[in-house]
Amino acid sequence: MNNGTLRQQVPPVSNLEAIRDRILGNLNLGRNALAYKAAQKVLDEFIGELYRK
């Protein structure tokens, strides 16, 4: 499978952000917790990587 095919299968950013928010909510941490911020950063980088060429 080439990058073009894979890129076509990536859901819209808004769907991925909703999934990210649901995952972060399941952590049972406050939004100011270091672990929450670290997880959010990693998930945001992952989402961004899906859309990079």
Side-chain angles (χ1 to χ4, degrees), residues 11-12 16 19-20 23 26 29 31 41 46-47 50-51:
L16 294 173
I19 293 168
R20 176 204 62 202
I23 291 168
N26 288 335
L29 298 170
R31 289 184 177 215
K41 181 179 178 183
F46 178 76
I47 291 169
L50 290 174
Y51 290 94

Side-chain angles (χ1 to χ4, degrees), residues 5-51:
T5 304
L6 182 61
R7 194 166 311 279
Q8 291 173 1
Q9 296 175 359
V10 176
V13 172
S14 59
N15 289 0
L16 294 173
E17 289 172 341
I19 293 168
R20 176 204 62 202
D21 293 343
R22 207 168 43 245
I23 291 168
L24 291 172
N26 288 335
L27 293 177
N28 295 320
L29 298 170
R31 289 184 177 215
N32 291 325
L34 292 176
Y36 181 97
K37 290 179 180 180
Q40 183 177 26
K41 181 179 178 183
V42 169
L43 290 169
D44 286 341
E45 288 178 12
F46 178 76
I47 291 169
E49 192 65 31
L50 290 174
Y51 290 94

